[in-house]
Amino acid sequence: MRIAIYPGSFDPVTKGHLDIIERAAGLFDKLIVVVLTNPAKTPVFSVEERVSYIRRIVEKLDNVETDCFDGLLADYVKLKGAGAIVKGLRAMSDFEYEFQMALTNKQLNPEMETLFLITSAEYMYLSSSIVRQLASFGADISRFIPDEIRDIIVERLRKAGK
Ligand code: PNS
């Protein structure tokens, strides 16, 4: 069975992430979307919230699972017996950071590959932080957040005053 891991902060998951999930799910027997800690970020949503939002939007995809892990991605990949990490690439600005992470992960676990899917053009400039910022100013975020979770995210960000 070919298993791939799609890791990220997903704070919150966006339509851009969902696009990568759907495309990656078509390439592997199983895709595990995993919420990990990015030490450079302070998330607004709890791990449980982020996992529950992802679960809701991947319900219709039979070969996609959602999980969380507090540790190194390379260890998680080993734990799950996966052969690949999938990442989405937007602008060139993503590249250097992703390149560094891919090479580091390869050092930690030489048996796995990192595969990059180029973002669909409509999501090129989309990010979770932009979504949080738009919502904080009361802007309509329906273009960026999957319908199933839009209302709960708007409400949650309003409460957080974010
Ligand atoms: O969505 P993000 O914040 O760009 O995702 C980054 C993430 C969470 C995948 C990355 O920070 C990560 O892999 N964190 C787990 C800890 C780890 O393995 N760090 C070493 C990466 S080289």
Side-chain angles (χ1 to χ4, degrees):
M1 195 191 236
R2 291 194 174 269
I3 304 173
I5 307 293
Y6 179 34
S9 305
F10 304 110
D11 189 40
V13 67
T14 66
K15 281 188 179 176
H17 294 128
L18 181 57
D19 172 56
I20 298 291
I21 292 170
E22 288 172 340
R23 289 163 56 201
L27 299 173
F28 292 92
D29 297 316
K30 181 155 105 177
L31 180 74
I32 306 175
V33 185
V34 62
V35 175
L36 294 176
T37 304
N38 181 342
K41 293 180 180 169
T42 308
V44 170
F45 295 93
S46 70
V47 171
E48 293 72 25
E49 286 175 309
R50 286 178 273 157
V51 167
S52 79
Y53 301 151
I54 299 167
R55 280 217 172 106
R56 232 180 275 186
I57 66 167
V58 303
E59 235 172 34
K60 52 191 184 258
L61 302 169
D62 290 341
N63 65 335
V64 179
E65 287 176 14
T66 313
D67 198 5
C68 59
F69 184 68
D70 189 14
L72 285 175
L73 173 57
D75 290 340
Y76 184 77
V77 170
K78 251 183 228 160
L79 193 73
K80 293 291 165 181
I85 295 170
V86 173
K87 304 282 316 249
L89 260 195
R90 293 165 301 185
M92 276 305 285
S93 51
D94 279 347
F95 185 75
E96 203 167 331
Y97 173 61
E98 293 295 348
F99 194 75
Q100 187 184 22
M101 280 202 293
L103 289 179
T104 308
N105 282 323
K106 187 79 179 163
Q107 292 278 326
L108 296 173
N109 180 353
E111 280 158 32
M112 75 192 184
E113 299 294 345
T114 301
L115 302 178
F116 292 102
L117 292 183
I118 301 295
T119 182
S120 298
E122 60 193 303
Y123 303 127
M124 183 135 175
Y125 294 103
L126 178 57
S127 69
S128 299
S129 61
I130 289 282
V131 166
R132 293 197 306 270
Q133 195 181 124
L134 288 174
S136 76
F137 288 101
D140 178 14
I141 57 166
S142 40
R143 262 171 300 162
F144 310 121
I145 293 289
D147 294 346
E148 303 93 312
I149 57 171
R150 190 191 54 224
D151 291 348
I152 191 165
I153 284 180
V154 170
E155 177 62 13
R156 176 65 177 72
L157 288 171
R158 198 187 54 76
K159 267 193 199 144
K162 297 281 179 186

